[in-house]
Amino acid sequence: MQCLKKLAVLNKSQYIIKRRREFNILNVICQCKYESDVAFEYTENEKEKNIYAQVSQDYLGTVVGGNRIFVIQPYIKWGVNKKRNTTPQLQLSEAKALVSNLTSWNVVGEKLVPLLSLQRNKLVGSGALETLKHDIEKCPHVTAIFISTNSLKFVQIAELQKTFNLPIYDRYSIVIHIFRERAKTPEAKLQVALAELPYVKQKMIDFTTYRIGRINYTEKMKNMLQAREKKLRNALQKLKEHRQRIKQQRLSYGFPTIAIVGYTNAGKTSLIKALTDDDSLQPEDKLFATLDTTVHPGLLPNMLKVLYVDTIGFIQDIPETLIEPFIVTLEDAMSADILVHVFDVSHPDVQAQIQHVQKTIEPMIDENKLIINVANKCDIVEKHVVESVIPKDTFTISAVKLTGINLLRSRIEEEITNTTNLLKRRIRVKSGSIEASWLYKETTVLNVEPDPKNLQYLIMDVYMTVPIFHKFKRFLKLT
Ligand SMILES: Nc1nc2c(ncn2[C@@H]2O[C@H](COP(=O)(O)OP(=O)(O)OP(=O)(O)O)[C@@H](O)[C@H]2O)c(=O)[nH]1
Ligand SMILES: [Mg+2]
């Protein structure tokens, strides 16, 4: 009997050590801001690196030293391709914001250009081209032109470059340059390297057919790009597997997760900061300030531990190939128990931004996934403006002033309780026992009362997830 007791004690202490180790892991999962501290670097020798740097500079242009940009915002005047949920002026504003997001890049001139289609080699007819040339010449020291359309064909870039005698950028190349500036972690760098490759490859293929007298890239160069892509894709696959492992780890602890999604600069990071009181989070007034999907622990009003997932923001008018490498991390976020879609209610183009986000996430989520809509930045707009733009059942908040945050937390709590099959259990344990402290550590304790029949015991009302409930049963077997 003594022996058995000893064994039980030994098991118990072993169990406690194991649990402590698990708590540590748990802390790591929660505190790990950049889940991808594990390296996903793809090895490249110096020679390959330099060759690629040259090729990408040829097709993507360079950001070094800054630029004085003339922004051209084309828009379709009528027909099926005409954008109906925004205005050319709002599109131009976003184009200017993109340029200003690059270090030392400034907008020195701008023009809205009405078009019938985006297919013509020089986009516009000769008359309009002359006017445009004149406008650009009038602007002092323009060093490059940004044509704010999705992605221009190589022939268009080459023709316009020849006409204006200036480098030409499209939205794809500008966003890539912003991504390059923002990417700090190996994971983000890998995703950006993959995101730019289709652009460089396509331009190279177009170039060989167009031939304007520049260096003709050889088969060797094409092979080099293909080998690079293969390497990057392998590294992305590793990243995918790593993500899967982290997700499984998270799931095994049964923490409910809430992913925060939205248009870039809507206030996603600020909202997580408000919900978690995590001072280390640094919201920035920049497009694509967040490139990595990161996880942040928080407590709901009922003391339930949850994880908030911060994500990369969305933007309109960029090709799918540009965000494709980020889908791996986005899909991980989209599997959260609930999604919170944050939008900037003070933004004049908020309707188009809301629709763009909805359209982008739709294929990534189950149709039953719960989405809580949140109108942020209500501190800088009049109430009647907020009411006129927000969809039904939207929470109005200010992540900076903390308005509406408690209400939002309560709504998240309600939804998490409904969607995650949290179990509410009444458990009788000895006061001061190891079981009682286990419950305090692992579950959300709602209420504790002494057992009137025996005051040495407590009646604990707790919330726990199914995996935690099974762990508790295993724990009881060992004690
Ligand atoms: N006035 C006001 N500004 C806000 C509010 N929430 C966020 N901001 C500001 O909006 C800017 C963007 O905030 P972030 O939280 O970085 O936005 P984000 O959605 O994470 O942006 P990306 O990561 O770049 O996609 C920052 O300058 C914030 O201070 C708010 O409630 N009111
Ligand atoms: Mg952010």
Side-chain angles (χ1 to χ4, degrees), residues 38-61:
V38 180
F40 300 105
E41 276 144 308
Y42 42 98
T43 44
E44 244 182 340
N45 65 37
E46 268 316 290
K47 195 173 155 213
E48 279 174 6
K49 213 160 132 184
N50 292 339
I51 297 173
Y52 180 73
Q54 184 57 52
V55 177
S56 69
Q57 187 174 319
D58 281 352
Y59 294 109
L60 277 164

Side-chain angles (χ1 to χ4, degrees), residues 265 267-270 282-284 286 288-291 310-313:
N265 213 44
K268 300 176 290 301
T269 306
S270 305
Q282 301 277 331
E284 289 178 273
K286 280 180 177 174
F288 303 112
T290 308
L291 282 191
D310 198 1
T311 56
I312 183 174

Side-chain angles (χ1 to χ4, degrees), residues 12-68:
K12 200 193 295 184
S13 55
Q14 277 174 339
Y15 190 88
I16 294 165
I17 291 168
K18 184 171 169 284
R19 291 301 306 150
R20 283 215 183 106
R21 206 177 302 137
E22 281 176 6
F23 283 132
N24 288 340
I25 297 169
L26 180 76
N27 282 337
V28 171
I29 293 176
C30 290
Q31 285 162 10
C32 185
K33 301 287 177 272
Y34 292 96
E35 284 186 340
S36 49
D37 282 346
V38 180
F40 300 105
E41 276 144 308
Y42 42 98
T43 44
E44 244 182 340
N45 65 37
E46 268 316 290
K47 195 173 155 213
E48 279 174 6
K49 213 160 132 184
N50 292 339
I51 297 173
Y52 180 73
Q54 184 57 52
V55 177
S56 69
Q57 187 174 319
D58 281 352
Y59 294 109
L60 277 164
T62 174
V63 281
V64 186
N67 259 316
R68 293 169 56 83

Side-chain angles (χ1 to χ4, degrees), residues 77-231:
K77 280 193 287 187
W78 54 71
V80 279
N81 292 326
K82 179 183 157 114
K83 280 188 185 263
R84 286 167 213 282
N85 62 357
T86 183
T87 64
Q89 197 58 49
L90 290 173
Q91 288 177 276
L92 176 64
S93 302
E94 185 171 270
K96 285 163 45 184
L98 278 170
V99 169
S100 312
N101 263 270
L102 281 164
T103 313
S104 307
W105 282 47
N106 298 304
V107 177
V108 292
E110 60 189 65
K111 180 120 196 207
L112 288 171
V113 177
L115 300 172
L116 292 176
S117 94
L118 285 158
Q119 299 309 315
R120 294 170 82 158
N121 280 1
K122 291 186 182 176
L123 291 176
V124 288
S126 52
L129 206 60
E130 275 313 304
T131 320
L132 211 43
K133 232 170 145 179
H134 183 65
D135 291 337
I136 294 169
E137 275 160 16
K138 263 197 330 204
C139 257
H141 313 297
V142 175
T143 59
I145 297 170
F146 169 33
I147 301 181
S148 175
T149 183
N150 196 311
S151 176
L152 289 167
K153 286 184 274 185
F154 180 84
V155 54
Q156 292 176 313
I157 294 180
E159 290 285 326
L160 292 164
Q161 218 153 266
K162 230 170 19 180
T163 308
F164 299 118
N165 201 20
L166 286 168
I168 305 286
Y169 293 86
D170 53 17
R171 281 174 81 92
Y172 200 140
S173 53
I174 292 284
V175 173
I176 282 294
H177 284 305
I178 297 176
F179 279 5
R180 279 178 168 192
E181 268 196 15
R182 305 279 190 271
K184 297 283 179 289
T185 62
E187 176 178 314
K189 284 182 183 161
L190 162 67
Q191 289 169 307
V192 175
L194 255 171
E196 69 182 52
L197 215 55
Y199 188 89
V200 174
K201 240 171 78 178
Q202 190 55 51
K203 294 287 175 288
M204 211 167 106
I205 293 164
D206 290 351
F207 170 72
T208 49
T209 42
Y210 182 74
R211 290 173 197 275
I212 51 161
R214 287 169 54 193
I215 318 144
N216 186 5
Y217 288 103
T218 56
E219 272 304 306
K220 201 170 144 203
M221 196 63 84
K222 272 191 211 157
N223 292 341
M224 193 274 288
L225 277 193
Q226 267 161 9
R228 182 181 172 82
E229 184 171 1
K230 200 168 160 210
K231 249 185 231 172

